[in-house]
Amino acid sequence: MLEVIDLHVRYGAINALRGATLSVERGELVAVVGPNGAGKSTLLMTIAGAVSSARGEIRFLGREIGRSSPEERVRQGIALVPERRRIFTSLTVAENLRIGMSARRDRAGAIRQRDELLTMFPILGERYASPAGQLSGGEQQQLAIARSLLTKPELLLVDEPSLGLAPRLVAQVLGTLVELRDQGTTILLVEQNALKALAVANRAYVLNRGEIREHRATSESGTAASLFDTYFGLPASPRPEGQP
Ligand code: ATP
């Protein structure tokens, strides 16, 4: 569904992405993990069209979209759930959802989907007429995801949904992404919380200082060790008993 090939992004003298290459197949939940400043948000914003690349290709459903506007990419089926949620806090939950629905031509389908989402995220139904700013961080994250889903995306890009959330809510939000994947939404998730993201992803990449590699865990128990090796570019070496 998505192919990113040798993508380079610069902010002045900073090389935020240095030849990023990755792919996402239809129906997958793919994670990109990496530390602060690795280039994760830049990668998603470039795929969504909010940031321009200096070089490289972005192919979505077989078409090169690297020069399309962000609006065209939304129309083609790409939706971004941005970092720190970026919902409209002074608008109600209902109004935030209506923004997601505004580009839809199939009004009846959009209303039906909104009602399904209110069943999936009951708190949004309970707080429907309240300002979104009164929701907790995890609830705002649910609203941001629901709003993006209302654009009826083929591919959902999710930027650090765990940021600022208590561990219980992180599990809930990541569980929601798994549920959406199981219902057929293709998801590209970027996360600093690497082990949590790896636990839910079909496949993963590690991004560090603008460079990306596919992460291949050899076994369940080897996950933490091999992730560490991919992060720091060390060879997968045996570790003494009991050491992570
Ligand atoms: P975090 O997990 O901290 O959000 P990230 O992996 O999402 O980090 P990016 O936000 O993509 O990383 O940043 C990648 C690099 O590009 C960093 O060095 C950052 O300081 C720099 N950068 C990001 N946005 C800009 C900008 N608008 N102008 C200049 N430099 C930027």
Side-chain angles (χ1 to χ4, degrees):
M1 177 176 274
L2 176 75
E3 271 183 292
V4 172
I5 304 160
D6 194 29
L7 199 63
H8 291 250
V9 174
R10 295 196 188 100
Y11 300 109
I14 296 170
N15 287 319
L17 287 182
R18 299 187 289 177
T21 295
L22 65 93
S23 63
V24 181
E25 305 288 335
R26 189 181 286 279
E28 278 190 314
L29 195 177
V30 172
V32 175
V33 299
N36 266 326
K40 303 182 300 298
S41 296
T42 299
L43 175 67
L44 288 197
M45 289 197 295
T46 311
I47 296 169
V51 167
S52 305
S53 60
R55 210 168 89 199
E57 284 181 40
I58 304 170
R59 290 178 184 277
F60 179 61
L61 297 171
R63 288 174 56 188
E64 164 63 36
I65 57 159
R67 296 287 164 256
S68 307
S69 68
E71 295 81 2
E72 278 173 65
R73 297 187 207 195
V74 172
R75 272 198 294 277
Q76 286 167 9
I78 296 178
L80 173 66
V81 183
E83 191 179 293
R84 298 186 190 280
R85 314 188 257 278
R86 306 272 163 85
I87 54 160
F88 296 95
T89 49
S90 58
L91 301 184
T92 64
V93 169
E95 287 163 338
N96 271 279
L97 292 175
R98 214 172 296 142
I99 289 166
M101 295 160 74
S102 58
R104 290 275 289 267
R105 296 222 178 98
D106 58 329
R107 187 93 195 120
I111 290 170
R112 201 175 328 114
Q113 192 190 5
R114 181 201 58 197
D115 293 345
E116 283 166 14
L117 286 167
L118 293 178
T119 309
M120 184 169 183
F121 302 111
I123 191 71
L124 301 184
E126 286 166 32
R127 310 296 292 277
Y128 200 60
S130 307
Q134 289 178 4
L135 299 177
S136 73
E139 292 161 358
Q140 290 186 15
Q141 189 68 64
Q142 294 179 5
L143 176 58
I145 293 171
R147 184 184 63 186
S148 294
L149 287 171
L150 282 167
T151 65
K152 217 177 172 189
E154 302 265 359
L155 174 66
L156 192 64
L157 308 172
V158 188
D159 195 352
E160 297 234 16
S162 76
L163 201 71
L165 298 187
R168 185 177 53 80
L169 293 177
V170 172
Q172 194 183 78
V173 168
L174 293 180
T176 301
L177 297 181
V178 170
E179 211 174 308
L180 291 170
R181 189 268 319 273
D182 291 346
Q183 290 169 9
T185 308
T186 308
I187 300 171
L188 179 59
L189 161 73
V190 310
E191 256 298 339
Q192 209 181 110
N193 196 332
L195 292 179
K196 288 250 162 39
L198 290 181
V200 299
N202 298 99
R203 289 190 301 118
Y205 294 86
V206 176
L207 185 60
N208 199 5
R209 298 180 187 200
E211 292 182 4
I212 200 163
R213 299 191 209 179
E214 184 152 11
H215 167 65
R216 295 189 186 279
T218 44
S219 69
E220 279 296 308
S221 60
T223 299
S226 64
L227 177 69
F228 182 88
D229 291 337
T230 320
Y231 244 78
F232 295 104
L234 302 172
S237 52
R239 289 191 164 70
E241 278 293 297
Q243 209 172 308

